[in-house]
Amino acid sequence: MTTSEPRVVLYTRPSCHLCDTARDVVEAVTADTGTGWREVDISHGPESGALTAKYGEYVPVVEVDGVQQGFWRIDPARLARLLA
C-alpha cells in the first residue's frame, strides 16, 4: 500500500476569519473532486518560524501539488479546475 501526500495544503493560523472561509472552500472542493488535503497551522510545530516568515500576513495560502495557487480569498472554481 502506497501512502502519498495530499495534493492540497492549506496554510492557516488561529483567529483568522479568512482562514475559516478558505477551509470551507477547500473542504467542499476536495470533497467534490475526491482529492486529499491537509491543513497546516503556521504558528505551531517545528517549521512554524520558517512558515511564518514565508507566508506572514498572506494566510490563508493554498498550494496544489506543491505550488502556491492562491492566498487570502480562495476561488472555488479555480481550485476545482486545478484539481480536474
Side-chain angles (χ1 to χ4, degrees), residues 3-69:
T3 304
S4 61
E5 284 290 311
R7 290 187 64 198
V8 178
V9 178
L10 177 64
Y11 294 94
T12 63
R13 69 169 178 257
S15 302
C16 166
H17 71 282
L18 291 176
C19 297
D20 296 337
T21 302
R23 182 180 306 107
D24 292 343
V25 169
V26 170
E27 284 178 343
V29 172
T30 57
D32 286 347
T33 62
T35 304
W37 74 282
R38 69 183 173 107
E39 183 173 345
V40 176
D41 178 348
I42 69 167
S43 65
H44 294 94
E47 297 180 333
S48 64
L51 291 173
T52 299
K54 182 176 181 178
Y55 297 118
E57 297 300 315
Y58 288 100
V59 294
V61 173
V62 69
E63 288 185 354
V64 176
D65 298 326
V67 177
Q68 183 177 326
Q69 297 294 342

